Amino acid sequence: MAKGTMRYWAAAKAAAGTHEEPYDAGTLAEAVAAAVAKEGRDGEFRRVVGRSSFLVDGEPVGTRAHESVELPDGGVVEVLPPFAGG
């Protein structure tokens, strides 16, 4: 298991109720599942995260399966919800 930081932006930050929190997970899928399962989180958080894009240490996850994305110890996962405008 790796320990690091998950950072939430825009709607993800509002739904999480925080800008960042620690992760303790081996993969992106595990980190997201743990974040969604946190007490006090509702369906809005799950919905926003389910539509979000992710960066791991600045590298886009893209369409890779989250189960295949290993997280580094001391890494940073950015949770980026869809943005309007252009």
Side-chain angles (χ1 to χ4, degrees):
M1 291 291 206
K3 295 179 186 291
T5 302
M6 290 187 75
R7 290 191 183 140
Y8 302 108
W9 297 96
K13 176 181 168 183
T18 186
H19 177 257
E20 66 181 39
E21 62 190 3
Y23 70 73
D24 188 359
T27 67
L28 179 58
E30 292 170 358
V32 170
V36 167
K38 284 197 177 214
E39 188 172 334
R41 299 260 164 92
D42 61 13
E44 178 65 9
F45 181 76
R46 179 185 300 271
R47 185 186 70 77
V48 170
V49 170
R51 298 180 62 218
S52 293
S53 298
F54 298 87
L55 301 176
V56 176
D57 283 346
E59 295 296 321
V61 170
T63 59
R64 290 183 287 161
H66 295 174
E67 295 81 9
S68 71
V69 179
E70 293 187 20
L71 297 179
D73 201 38
V76 176
V77 174
E78 310 276 351
V79 182
L80 307 167
F83 292 95

